């Protein structure tokens, strides 16, 4: 018998029985996907994949971007229809046509991008799409009471009357979980649930996940963060290029094992960062302030410097001023107060074109939007700033021969995988587009490099390459400002780390002397460090 | 003394006309509110109103039954709205352009039908103004001041005002309203919870179409009781603007409709009384007010986030 929402009427009364969940619903003892095939034009996104999960288990789905994790889960949730393959629930074959079906079967999904209507309350978001006990009227008081009960049972702090837009990211995550539990989810798909959380919030979330598994829920945990998978899950299935590379118990596995399975060859996860040979100050921010379009301050009295031969990392939870900081230095966001210096020159009010001319290179966060012109060829994208200058042009006509040679040289040097130099940039993979941008920015022999999220969504192989390039340039004396939400990346590459919270510098610390926990507290605004 | 009386009479007249004239704006703008809250901009309201006005009028002309006229206007409004639904929801055409297309269609079609089926401007006996009489002698409509303002309108006008709290209740207090608000703000979220985004949008736009049809009929079989070509004179576009003006809330729309119709009534009286103001300036007044109101920037923040954005589940 399919699960139905009116089971919830019996919350608490039925929870004593052993094969029921705390929400009062029956468990999903097993769910199995067999031989799942999904084709998209030109891509085999899912190639005869087998996958299964049991009650009480946290099963990790690991793979790089584009390996087919999301496709598989969207099939499970009814958002995509498989071309081949079958799904079995407790041994019985089921067909999932839409999210309505999957919800009925007790499958819940926490999406990577929160699926919340942000101008509505928590209770309204939970009630959405469900029948009311007083049709056609809403029964938000009843819904709120049930939310409170559920929240109490699972130790989730949620206020049903809060409006979503006023909630912090961690709270929104809890609302998503409550939403799924409220609908009677016995199996939860967690699609990269930690992407926007601080280390402490991640710890709290894992406690909740472990409790849910102990209570008999089945959990599928999608991630590409090896450390989290090792810390949380019982089994792990690795996907590569749409194929399942195998399933194994997490216990006994190492990061290195998983990375090799994921990439298909041995990769170096550790980065070798020799002691910095610091030169003179290259970039200096002096009391920089900025506001957003609503006039709200988003950078407050930001001061730090970057030396030649040094990588300075900027850590912080997404949306705490990293974007305006990068864009402000690059001349793309107005600085309302304070000065920015490149060596001794005041560059605060220069235009982006002037910035490029004096030796600033910028790897923007939105690579498809700000980093390349999607319909331009690889060769054209490599001269986006310098096309007006010799030797690329004589002022009127482009020097096509030189441009072609330039492209050839960089494609080889930076190992950009592209069918040809005339291929439009949009046809390249994320990792190769990022290498293309890196090639362009570094070939200009900059005095300062601003790298914003240089490896986000990039595969492990390309990440390794980009990291090594950044370290190589550092050895050659480049000053780099590395802005990243990946704490491991910041810590591995940076000599010093600037922590931002609410647009303010919470501290500047030496990378080798700070722990991830300390960084996490600073990122949450709970701790200030002495300025190093 | 005499002058004071005249001034008072004119003021009363303006208020009375203001309430009367708010009728078509209210029907059309409340309907458009449903459409826009679900994420669909229907710019074809004026075309639907014209069709509603014609079919409502023609039905009464033939049957002498104003209720049948209202029914016909609502039905033709629903059909017109469904055309827009197919084009801009199912086939995801650009909403602004398809709405203008629908307007042109309604304008042309209603003129054609008028020429072939009526030919000349005729009059009908539509909904008459109520007087709320008790017994033979006492009518609420005869009460000084209050009677003029509150107790001398047709059922169609009272219906328009009753629509405001009803729309508010539906949008904020029912499960259907919750779905409408959700698909207009974050259709992906609604879809992930098993709400059929396109079905909710079809329903909302169709309700908007029915109300736009009634708005047209309120002109041709209640307020004026005649039909002439392009008789809405752009009222449907003003109705769309009123939704923005009212911040997508029925109460705000009511305020905007009353303000607009009162200024409009003022403008009519300025013309009637032959005051020393060029009538063109007077005619411009309400439109100028609309532009000024729309220029206020804070309203944009309240706009449904998915307005004009077609929804596709994105299997790509």
């Amino acid at each position: 018998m399919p699960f139905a929402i009116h089971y919830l009427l019996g919350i608490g009364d039925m929870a004593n029985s052993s094969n029921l969940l705390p929400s009062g619903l029956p468990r999903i003892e097993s769910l199995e996907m067999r031989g799942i095939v999904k084709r998209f034009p030109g891509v085999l996104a899912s190639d005869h994949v087998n996958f299964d999960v049991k009650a009480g288990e946290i099963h990790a789905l690991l793979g790089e971007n584009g390996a087919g994790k999301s496709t598989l889960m969207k099939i499970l949730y009814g958002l995509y229809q498989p071309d081949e393959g079958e799904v079995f629930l407790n041994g019985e074959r089921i067909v999932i046509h839409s999210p309505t079906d999957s919800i009925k079967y007790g499958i819940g999904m926490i999406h990577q991008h929160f699926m919340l209507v942000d101008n509505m309350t928590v209770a309204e978001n939970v009630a959405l799409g469900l029948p009311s006990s007083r049709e056609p009227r809403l029964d938000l008081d009843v819904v709120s009471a049930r939310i409170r009960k559920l929240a109490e049972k699972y130790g989730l702090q949620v206020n049903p009357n809060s409006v979503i837009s006023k909630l912090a990211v961690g709270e929104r995550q809890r609302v998503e979980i409550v939403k799924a539990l409220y609908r009677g989810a016995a199996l939860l798909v967690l699609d990269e649930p930690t992407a926007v959380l601080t280390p402490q919030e991640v710890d709290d979330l894992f406690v909740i996940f472990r409790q849910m598994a102990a209570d008999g829920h089945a959990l599928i945990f999608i991630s590409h963060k090896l450390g989290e998978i090792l810390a949380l899950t019982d089994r792990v299935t690795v996907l590569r290029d749409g194929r399942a590379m195998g399933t194994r118990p997490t216990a006994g596995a190492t990061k290195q094992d998983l990375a090799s399975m994921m990439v298909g060859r041995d990769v170096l996860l550790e980065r070798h960062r020799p002691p910095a040979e610091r030169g003179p100050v290259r970039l200096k921010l002096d009391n920089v302030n900025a506001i957003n379009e609503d006039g709200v301050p988003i950078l407050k009295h930001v001061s730090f410097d970057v030396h030649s031969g040094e990588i300075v990392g900027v850590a912080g939870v997404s949306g705490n001023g990293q974007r305006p900081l990068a864009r402000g230095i690059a001349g793309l966001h107005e600085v309302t107060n304070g000065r920015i210096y490149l060596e001794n020159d005041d560059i605060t009010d220069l235009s982006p074109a002037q910035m490029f001319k004096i030796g600033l290179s910028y790897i923007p966060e939105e690579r498809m939007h700000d980093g390349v012109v999607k319909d331009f060829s690889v060769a054209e994208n490599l001269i986006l700033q310098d096309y007006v200058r010799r030797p690329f042009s004589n002022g009127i006509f482009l020097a096509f021969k030189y441009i072609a040679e330039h492209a050839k040289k960089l494609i080889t040097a930076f190992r950009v995988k592209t069918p040809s130099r005339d291929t439009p940039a949009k046809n390249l993979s994320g990792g190769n587009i990022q290498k293309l941008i890196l090639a362009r920015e570094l070939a200009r022999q900059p005095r300062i490099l601003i790298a914003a999220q240089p490896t986000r969504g990039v595969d492990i192989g390309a990440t390794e390459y980009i990291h090594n390039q950044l370290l190589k340039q550092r050895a050659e004396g480049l000053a780099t400002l590395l802005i990243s939400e990946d704490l491991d990346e910041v810590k591995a590459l940076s000599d010093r780390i600037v922590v931002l919270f609410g647009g303010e510098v919470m501290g500047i610390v030496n990378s080798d002397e700070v722990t991830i926990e300390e960084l996490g507290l600073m990122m949450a605004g709970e701790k200030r460090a002495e300025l190093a | 003394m005499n002058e004071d009386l005249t001034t008072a009479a004119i003021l009363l007249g303006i208020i009375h006309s203001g309430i009367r004239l708010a009728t078509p704006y209210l029907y059309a703008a409340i309907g458009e509110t449903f459409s826009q809250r679900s994420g669909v901009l229907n710019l074809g309201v004026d075309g639907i109103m014209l069709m509603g006005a014609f079919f409502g009028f023609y039905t009464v002309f033939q049957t002498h039954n104003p209720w049948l006229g209202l029914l016909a206007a609502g039905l033709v409004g629903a059909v017109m709205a469904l055309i827009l639904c197919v084009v801009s929801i199912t086939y995801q055409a650009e909403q602004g352009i398809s709405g203008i297309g629908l307007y042109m269609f309604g304008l042309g079609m209603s003129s054609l039908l008028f020429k072939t089926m009526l030919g000349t401007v005729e009059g009908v006996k539509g909904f008459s103004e109520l007087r709320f009489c008790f017994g033979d002698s006492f009518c609420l409509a005869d009460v000084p001041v209050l009677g003029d303002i509150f107790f001398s309108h047709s059922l169609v006008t009272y219906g328009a005002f009753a629509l405001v709290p009803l729309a508010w209740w539906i949008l904020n207090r029912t499960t259907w309203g919750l779905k409408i608000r959700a698909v207009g703000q974050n259709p992906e979220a609604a879809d992930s919870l098993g709400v059929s985004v396109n079905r909710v949008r079809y329903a909302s736009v169709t309700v908007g179409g029915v109300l736009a049809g009634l708005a047209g009929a309120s002109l041709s079989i209640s307020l004026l009781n005649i039909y002439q070509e392009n008789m809405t004179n752009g009222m449907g576009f003003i109705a769309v603007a009123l939704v923005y003006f009212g911040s997508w809330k029925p109460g705000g729309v009511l305020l905007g409709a009353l303000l607009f119709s009162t200024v409009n009534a003022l403008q009519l009286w300025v013309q009637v009384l032959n005051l020393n103001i060029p009538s063109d300036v007077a005619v411009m007044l309400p439109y100028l007010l609309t532009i000024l109101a729309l220029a206020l920037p804070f309203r944009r923040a309240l706009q449904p986030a998915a307005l004009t954005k077609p929804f596709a589940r994105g299997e790509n």
Side-chain angles (χ1 to χ4, degrees), chain A residues 12 34 72 119 161 201 209 275 302 325 375 438 450 461 495 505:
Chain A
R34 271 189 221 154
L72 194 66
N119 61 357
N161 299 323
E201 284 175 317
F209 289 161
V302 173
L325 177 64
D375 293 306
L438 190 74
I450 314 293
D495 299 296
V505 175

Side-chain angles (χ1 to χ4, degrees), chain A residues 124-172:
Chain A
E124 283 178 315
N125 269 282
V126 170
L128 179 60
L130 293 175
S132 149
S133 61
R134 292 198 288 265
E135 286 286 351
R137 284 186 297 148
L138 283 169
D139 56 350
L140 291 179
D141 51 331
V142 179
V143 175
S144 297
R146 284 189 199 156
I147 291 174
R148 286 203 181 88
K149 268 190 185 170
L150 264 182
E152 198 184 322
K153 276 196 200 314
Y154 285 90
L156 296 157
Q157 282 189 338
V158 168
N159 176 3
N161 299 323
S162 305
V163 176
I164 301 294
S165 58
K166 301 243 161 71
L167 297 181
V169 186
E171 294 174 287
R172 293 184 197 201

Side-chain angles (χ1 to χ4, degrees), chain A residues 242-438:
Chain A
R243 279 196 299 269
M245 304 315 294
T247 301
R248 59 166 295 171
T250 314
T254 65
K255 281 189 185 183
Q256 198 65 54
D257 298 338
L258 296 180
S260 304
M261 266 175 101
M262 181 157 92
V263 184
R265 62 179 171 84
D266 284 339
V267 284
L268 206 57
L269 292 172
E270 299 299 316
R271 303 283 176 255
H272 178 61
R273 177 164 52 84
E277 291 177 28
R278 257 166 55 150
V281 172
R282 277 278 172 79
L283 178 75
K284 185 174 164 61
L285 274 73
D286 184 14
N287 199 24
V288 168
N289 290 272
I291 53 172
N292 67 8
E293 58 266 39
D294 297 328
V296 179
I298 42 177
L299 285 181
K300 300 172 202 159
H301 314 292
V302 173
S303 299
F304 63 85
D305 53 28
V306 186
H307 290 252
S308 161
E310 180 187 44
I311 297 179
V312 171
V314 175
V317 176
S318 178
N320 277 282
Q322 296 96 318
R323 248 175 92 82
L325 177 64
R327 293 171 62 83
I329 297 171
L332 297 168
H333 191 112
E334 191 191 350
V335 169
T336 49
N337 198 355
R339 309 310 300 173
I340 302 170
Y341 301 94
L342 181 60
E343 287 169 6
N344 292 319
D345 304 325
D346 186 336
I347 61 166
T348 318
D349 299 318
L350 297 190
S351 70
Q354 289 168 318
M355 296 265 190
F356 290 133
K357 210 168 170 181
I358 61 166
L360 176 129
S361 273
Y362 173 47
I363 299 175
E365 182 177 342
E366 302 283 341
R367 74 176 76 95
M368 289 305 276
H369 192 261
D370 299 335
V372 292
V373 182
K374 283 186 278 189
D375 293 306
F376 279 18
S377 73
V378 169
E380 286 166 337
N381 268 300
L382 283 169
I383 57 162
L384 281 186
Q385 299 106 328
D386 295 314
Y387 65 96
V388 284
R389 279 187 274 280
R390 287 180 190 282
F392 301 104
S393 86
N394 60 14
I396 299 172
F397 297 107
L398 290 174
F400 286 105
K401 212 171 142 194
Y402 187 84
I403 292 170
E405 273 168 32
H406 176 74
K408 201 173 144 194
K409 204 173 73 195
L410 290 187
I411 287 169
T412 317
F414 284 83
R415 296 191 223 151
V416 182
K417 264 190 234 163
T418 171
S420 82
R421 57 180 174 261
D422 299 320
T423 306
K426 64 180 175 192
N427 293 1
L428 272 56
S429 74
N432 281 300
I433 288 177
Q434 201 67 347
K435 284 190 204 164
L436 166 72
I437 296 169
L438 190 74

Side-chain angles (χ1 to χ4, degrees), chain B residues 26-92:
Chain B
L26 276 175
Y27 278 110
I30 293 289
E32 180 72 6
T33 303
F34 278 101
S35 181
Q36 292 202 14
R37 282 304 279 269
S38 81
V40 182
L41 174 68
N42 178 359
L43 276 185
V45 177
D46 205 53
I48 302 179
M49 284 177 71
L50 284 168
M51 291 289 276
F54 176 80
F55 277 90
F57 179 85
Y58 190 74
T59 307
V60 179
F61 186 68
Q62 294 293 345
T63 65
H64 306 289
N65 183 340
W67 289 103
L68 280 180
L70 221 48
L71 183 71
L75 279 178
V76 77
V79 171
M80 290 284 285
L82 282 169
I83 297 176
L84 187 82
C85 289
V86 172
V87 174
S88 53
I89 299 175
T90 305
Y91 291 102
Q92 307 187 1

